[in-house]
Amino acid sequence: MKHQALLTLLLALSTTTLLAQFNPEKPELCQRNFYTEAQAVEVHKAVAAKYNDQASWEKRAQLIRQGILDGAEIKQLSRKKPKHITIHSRKTLNGYAVENVSFQSLPGIYVTGNLYTPLNTKGKLAAILAPHGHGPEPRYKEYVQQRCATLARMGAVVFAYDMIGYGDAKYCEHKIEKALKLQLINSTYVLNFLLSLPHVDKNRVAMSGESGGGTQTFMLAALDERIKVSVPVVMVSGHFFGGCTCESGMPVHKRPTHITSNLEIAALFAPKPLLLISDGDDWTKNTPNFEYPFVQRIYGFYKSEGKVENVHFPQEKHDYNASKRQAAYAFLAKYLNLNTAGVLKAGKFDESVNTVLTEVDLKVFNEKYLLPGDALKGDEAVAKVLDGKR
C-alpha cells in the first residue's frame, strides 16, 4: 500500500505523466532516466505551481532537505574535526604545493586525497572541495590536477578526494548499497577538515565536481550552509537522477511525503552563487531552456537571479575539460575573491605552468606511509559501520 501511495503521489503531479523507468524491486528509488525529457517538463511545471514566493519555496525546501537526510539515514551532518589526520610528502611547485592527506570520517574509514595550497600568500584563504566523477582513478588524472593547481595558484586551498572504491579508498567496492550515505558523510568531513585549517576563511568556501562529483556537490551544498559557492558540472538534470548507487541508490528523491529531483535539490542552494555547467551530449543538454530557467525563477524569489548562471557547451561531451574549467575558474574567482594576477594570460586562465604529478607522487598510502591498522576492509565491515551510524 505504501508503494502504491508513492506511485499515486507521483502520477498526481501530472495526469499526463507516466514513469519512464520503474524498479519493481525497489520502488522507493528514482534512478537513471526516471522521466523522459518531456515528462520532466510536465512534472516540474506541476511542482513549480506549489511555490510562488520565497515563503512557499522555503517550506518546500525544508521538506526536501529533511527527505535527503531521512533517505540517506543521517540524523544530522557532523561538524566535528576529523580524527587521525595525516599530511605528508609535500611537493613545492610553481606557485603552489601539493600534499597527501588522510583522515578518519567514521571508525575504520579513511578519507584520502591531495591538498593543494598556494605559496607566498597573506591572510585568510578561500577553500574548495573538489570531488571527482566516475572513471579510472580520476584523482590522479591531469584534468583533476589542472583544476586544483590553477585554483591554488589563485589563492585557494583545494582538496581533491577519492570516491569510495577509488584511489586510496579501496576499503570497499564503489557500488555498495549505502554508497550515497558514506560519500555524503565523507564530503562533510572534508569540509570539516578544510575549515579546521587555521588559514582558511570560513566565509569563502566552494565546492565543484563533475558527474558523480557534481552529485556530491549539489547534495552537500543543499544540506550544509557552510558551502558558499556551488559549481556542479554536467550533472544537474530534471529527468536523470544519477546512474550509480552512490547517487540514487538510497531513497533521497522519493519520500512518503513528496517526490523531488536533482533539479530541485540543486535549487536548494538559492540565493547563494550557483553555476550550472552543461553540455550537448548528456542529460544536461536542455539546461539552457529547462533546468536553468527553473532554478532562476527560484532565485527570483530572493531577487538574486544574477547569482545563478549557466555556461553551456552544445558541442562538448560529459567531462570537466579545459573549456569547462575556464568557466568554473571565472565564476569561482568572482565569488571567492581569488587573485587572478599572474594566472590570466591573454584573457584565459593559464594551466601550462602546472606540474602533472604521477600516481606514485599522489598516493596517500605506500610503503613509507602505511594504511592505518584499524582501517576496515570489505563491503560487509563497511556496511556494518554505516548501519550503526544514524
Side-chain angles (χ1 to χ4, degrees):
M1 292 297 293
K2 182 178 179 181
H3 293 155
Q4 183 59 44
L6 286 169
L7 280 174
T8 301
L9 176 63
L10 176 63
L11 295 175
L13 294 176
S14 172
T15 56
T16 61
T17 298
L18 293 175
L19 294 179
Q21 178 173 312
F22 175 64
N23 184 346
E25 295 181 359
K26 292 187 175 181
E28 71 278 12
L29 300 182
C30 305
Q31 296 181 287
R32 299 193 67 81
N33 296 305
F34 192 70
Y35 304 123
T36 66
E37 294 167 36
Q39 287 166 359
V41 172
E42 293 303 312
V43 166
H44 285 84
K45 279 183 181 179
V47 170
K50 297 177 181 293
Y51 37 84
N52 294 291
D53 54 25
Q54 184 177 330
S56 56
W57 162 247
E58 289 187 352
K59 183 178 179 181
R60 171 75 173 176
Q62 180 55 36
L63 185 71
I64 296 171
R65 286 193 181 96
Q66 191 59 52
I68 296 171
L69 290 172
D70 292 344
E73 299 178 357
I74 297 174
K75 186 175 182 180
Q76 62 182 17
L77 296 175
S78 173
R79 296 296 179 93
K80 295 180 180 179
K81 179 180 177 179
K83 299 178 180 179
H84 308 303
I85 299 172
T86 300
I87 303 175
H88 65 82
S89 304
R90 181 179 175 88
K91 294 159 281 290
T92 301
L93 303 169
N94 188 357
Y96 67 101
V98 183
E99 296 168 291
N100 305 352
V101 177
S102 67
F103 51 78
Q104 195 176 88
S105 58
L106 293 174
I109 294 177
Y110 287 83
V111 177
T112 49
N114 300 110
L115 185 67
Y116 294 72
T117 55
L119 301 178
N120 304 317
T121 57
K122 295 181 180 180
K124 295 284 189 177
L125 304 175
I128 302 174
L129 291 76
H132 62 69
H134 298 88
E137 306 298 7
R139 177 165 61 87
Y140 309 132
K141 294 295 190 246
E142 178 179 359
Y143 73 91
V144 172
Q145 294 189 54
Q146 292 284 16
R147 168 166 49 118
C148 298
T150 305
L151 289 166
R153 286 168 48 224
M154 285 192 275
V157 177
V158 188
F159 190 63
Y161 57 103
D162 289 316
M163 280 182 162
I164 62 171
Y166 285 77
D168 286 286
K170 292 188 171 72
Y171 42 79
C172 66
E173 293 296 321
H174 177 67
K175 293 186 178 183
I176 60 172
E177 183 178 7
K178 296 181 180 179
L180 186 153
K181 176 179 182 177
L182 180 50
Q183 292 200 159
L184 186 53
I185 290 172
N186 283 352
S187 288
T188 303
Y189 273 94
V190 170
L191 178 57
N192 296 348
F193 164 68
L194 287 173
L195 291 179
S196 76
L197 300 176
H199 50 290
V200 163
D201 182 351
K202 66 180 181 180
N203 294 312
R204 293 192 294 147
V205 180
M207 187 168 184
S208 180
E210 82 288 354
S211 193
T215 300
Q216 291 185 68
T217 297
F218 61 68
M219 284 289 181
L220 186 64
L223 296 173
D224 200 314
E225 74 281 0
R226 296 175 296 171
I227 302 293
K228 306 301 183 183
V229 184
S230 177
V231 184
V233 178
V234 296
M235 197 61 217
V236 175
S237 169
H239 72 275
F240 186 74
F241 284 62
C244 181
T245 303
C246 76
E247 301 170 285
S248 55
M250 298 184 77
V252 296
H253 299 98
K254 188 187 296 185
R255 307 300 305 155
T257 54
H258 67 280
I259 295 173
T260 188
S261 66
N262 287 340
L263 176 53
E264 276 197 302
I265 292 172
L268 295 177
F269 200 62
K272 294 181 287 186
L274 170 67
L275 173 62
L276 305 176
I277 297 181
S278 53
D279 69 273
D281 195 53
D282 65 16
W283 44 84
T284 64
K285 62 184 179 181
N286 301 314
T287 296
N289 299 316
F290 172 40
E291 284 87 358
Y292 176 51
F294 183 93
V295 177
Q296 196 170 43
R297 173 177 177 264
I298 292 169
Y299 270 70
F301 299 155
Y302 300 87
K303 302 187 185 307
S304 297
E305 297 95 327
K307 288 187 178 180
V308 58
E309 299 179 19
N310 170 225
V311 178
H312 187 65
F313 298 92
Q315 303 303 317
E316 294 191 6
K317 296 183 180 295
H318 184 76
D319 55 30
Y320 206 157
N321 67 4
S323 56
K324 297 181 181 74
R325 294 196 299 273
Q326 290 288 323
Y329 295 152
F331 192 84
L332 291 166
K334 175 182 178 180
Y335 284 105
L336 293 178
N337 192 27
L338 300 179
N339 183 7
T340 60
V343 182
L344 276 175
K345 185 177 181 180
K348 289 191 174 184
F349 294 88
D350 182 19
E351 297 180 333
S352 66
V353 300
N354 299 336
T355 299
V356 178
L357 299 169
T358 68
E359 179 175 332
V360 173
D361 293 325
L362 297 173
K363 282 191 71 65
V364 176
F365 302 128
N366 53 38
E367 292 181 358
K368 184 176 180 180
Y369 299 96
L370 302 177
L371 180 71
D374 67 344
L376 296 180
K377 296 180 179 66
D379 295 2
E380 186 176 344
V382 171
K384 187 175 180 180
V385 168
L386 289 174
D387 287 341
K389 177 67 176 178
R390 296 285 174 171

